[in-house]
Amino acid sequence: MNAAENRTRPVEVLAGIVGETIRSPGAKTLIAEIARDLIETWADKGGLRRRVASPARWVVSKVFRPGGNGVGISAHAGRLLTAWARQVNAEHAADPVCHAASRREAFHGFMKNTDFGEFREMVENSRRCFVATLEAFNGQLWKYPAKVGSIMGTLLALVNTGIASVRTFLTPIEKNVGPDLLADLLLSLLRGVDAREVAGLVNSSAEFIRRLHTGNLLLARAGKPLLQVYLTALLKEGLPTVDPTLLTKARIALAEDREALAGALADVLREHPELVLETISSYGSLTTPLLRAFSRRARLFDELDREALAHAVSQGLSDLDTYEIARAVNTLVRVLNGLHDTRPEVFSAFLTSVADSLDTEEIRAAVAWMVPEIAEAARPVLDASVPSLKSSLLPTGGES
């Protein structure tokens, strides 16, 4: 196919689509109704116009009389897409960046002649008007609660239609596509991913984050990063307006809703215990892959060079701020001591309440078989570790 044909073919197909659309029954009916309305308006002035209107209406009814449906625009749309792709492919074969120059000029003209300051000012000044418009809409909408219910019902119908559509889309895959073919189709997409471009994206994202963080530190104020300064200002302005009582009630409501969800799930599972039993029986199959993955990561450390690993561990621990760890522990202990000094009965009352609620007979029965069995199973480990523990715990000088 020559270049001239490549250039003209999409236009010809598009012309066919426009013609097919105009010849469609719906378009003819629309044009005829518009023409009749114009004729009626024109003939309302009387005189010669009224006498001419009748034959004009007859001509419109004959010319725009709905006929057959034709072939429709679907076939034309497919041909248009194919012709357009063929044309673009031919242009790219001649010059891979043939469209860049024209796009560059277009972007230049757009950026040069667009005042984004005016656009920003328009958006900023439109806030009150937009909010007032929304308030007016809400004021009228909620005068008719039944209409709101209809809208909600429409949204629910759309959700159900979407779910059914996805299910219908997946049904042929379940029936007609084998596991090997499905895996080959989908995993071939993964094989086709440009790994170098993905790595470049990761590097660019990391550099973006690094630059943002560096700038945040360079613009620090009074020793505080700029992000902390801005967040502090925002929180100072916003948090005082939050109703703590209302917020607490909302959190309690969400917690109770989670309880309701757990209760509903338990009620259903009680009626269908096979789901619970299947989950329990598959615990090993679900956990073993995780254990193998952890084991493989552990073996990776064992495969590393010992000197390099020791250097990395030493550097990682040296960068750890042990003072902050100690200060956090000290602060926590100090808070606990302060609470005990202020209300010494708090912890004892809580622990006593828990202990009084425990079933001591069940605990006694569990300990009676659990401790001996654990000790027997761990005997090799105990035999290997107890001598070292004894020598470490003995007082200095071997005093007993």
Side-chain angles (χ1 to χ4, degrees):
M1 183 173 290
N2 56 43
E5 190 174 4
N6 275 334
R7 288 193 300 270
T8 58
R9 184 57 182 164
V11 177
E12 294 175 0
V13 178
L14 183 60
I17 292 177
V18 175
E20 189 71 30
T21 302
I22 294 176
R23 289 191 298 271
S24 66
K28 284 185 176 182
T29 302
L30 175 62
I31 295 174
E33 291 298 328
I34 294 174
R36 290 192 186 98
D37 183 72
L38 293 176
I39 292 172
E40 293 295 336
T41 304
W42 179 73
D44 284 343
K45 296 183 179 180
L48 180 62
R49 297 182 179 183
R50 185 176 297 278
R51 289 192 294 272
V52 174
S54 180
R57 284 192 291 268
W58 180 85
V59 171
V60 168
S61 64
K62 293 298 181 181
V63 173
F64 297 102
R65 180 173 54 190
N69 292 330
V71 298
I73 67 171
S74 300
H76 289 299
R79 287 194 290 269
L80 174 63
L81 180 61
T82 303
W84 172 72
R86 185 183 297 116
Q87 174 180 327
V88 172
N89 288 336
E91 293 172 350
H92 285 168
D95 182 4
V97 293
C98 58
H99 300 124
S102 61
R103 300 294 186 272
R104 187 180 301 109
E105 292 297 327
F107 293 147
H108 172 72
F110 176 77
M111 299 299 294
K112 181 179 179 180
N113 293 282
T114 303
D115 189 340
F116 287 98
E118 289 288 344
F119 185 77
R120 176 185 60 81
E121 185 176 352
M122 178 198 71
V123 174
E124 290 178 347
N125 294 335
S126 298
R127 183 178 65 178
R128 293 179 59 187
C129 181
F130 180 81
V131 173
T133 302
L134 186 59
E135 290 176 350
F137 172 78
N138 279 337
Q140 297 302 316
L141 175 65
W142 288 99
K143 288 181 179 179
Y144 309 96
K147 296 183 183 295
V148 178
S150 298
I151 295 175
M152 296 301 176
T154 302
L155 295 177
L156 179 60
L158 291 175
V159 171
N160 289 332
T161 301
I163 294 173
S165 300
V166 174
R167 181 71 181 93
T168 303
F169 178 79
L170 294 177
T171 298
I173 298 178
E174 298 176 4
K175 295 180 178 179
N176 305 323
V177 181
D180 52 347
L181 178 58
L182 179 62
D184 182 60
L185 289 174
L186 295 182
L187 297 183
S188 62
L189 300 177
L190 179 62
R191 184 180 59 187
V193 173
D194 193 332
R196 291 184 178 273
E197 289 297 333
V198 173
L201 175 62
V202 172
N203 291 336
S204 298
S205 301
E207 177 62 15
F208 173 81
I209 295 173
R210 187 197 68 81
R211 286 176 175 268
L212 179 63
H213 182 67
T214 302
N216 176 42
L217 296 179
L218 292 176
L219 297 175
R221 299 176 183 175
K224 297 181 179 179
L226 189 62
L227 176 62
Q228 181 178 346
V229 174
Y230 286 166
L231 286 178
T232 301
L234 287 173
L235 293 175
K236 280 185 177 180
E237 182 179 359
L239 279 182
T241 62
V242 175
D243 187 339
T245 303
L246 183 60
L247 181 62
T248 301
K249 290 180 179 180
R251 295 178 62 187
I252 294 174
L254 291 176
E256 292 178 349
D257 290 340
R258 288 195 294 270
E259 178 189 4
L261 176 61
L265 183 61
D267 292 340
V268 175
L269 291 178
R270 186 185 300 112
E271 298 176 1
H272 301 277
E274 63 275 6
L275 296 175
V276 181
L277 297 176
E278 183 64 25
T279 301
I280 296 174
S281 63
S282 63
Y283 176 78
S285 300
L286 293 172
T287 307
T288 298
L290 301 178
L291 295 176
R292 285 200 295 261
F294 176 77
S295 176
R296 184 64 189 91
R297 288 194 296 268
R299 291 201 307 272
L300 173 62
F301 296 132
D302 187 50
E303 295 165 359
L304 295 175
D305 179 73
R306 286 289 185 270
E307 183 62 29
L309 179 60
H311 175 73
V313 171
S314 176
Q315 183 175 357
L317 292 178
S318 65
D319 292 339
L320 193 62
D321 195 334
T322 55
Y323 173 76
E324 288 297 334
I325 297 176
R327 187 164 71 168
V329 173
N330 292 337
T331 302
L332 178 60
V333 173
R334 186 164 53 251
V335 169
L336 292 175
N337 290 335
L339 290 174
H340 185 267
D341 293 340
T342 305
R343 300 284 295 273
E345 74 282 358
V346 171
F347 296 106
S348 60
F350 171 75
L351 295 176
T352 301
S353 176
V354 173
D356 291 342
S357 302
L358 295 176
D359 190 335
T360 56
E361 292 301 323
E362 292 293 339
I363 293 177
R364 182 181 295 108
V367 172
W369 63 263
M370 189 179 298
V371 172
E373 292 187 11
I374 292 177
E376 182 63 27
R379 186 168 301 280
V381 178
L382 295 175
D383 292 341
S385 58
V386 166
S388 298
L389 291 174
K390 289 175 62 178
S391 61
S392 300
L393 296 176
L394 284 176
T396 305
E399 297 178 0
S400 59

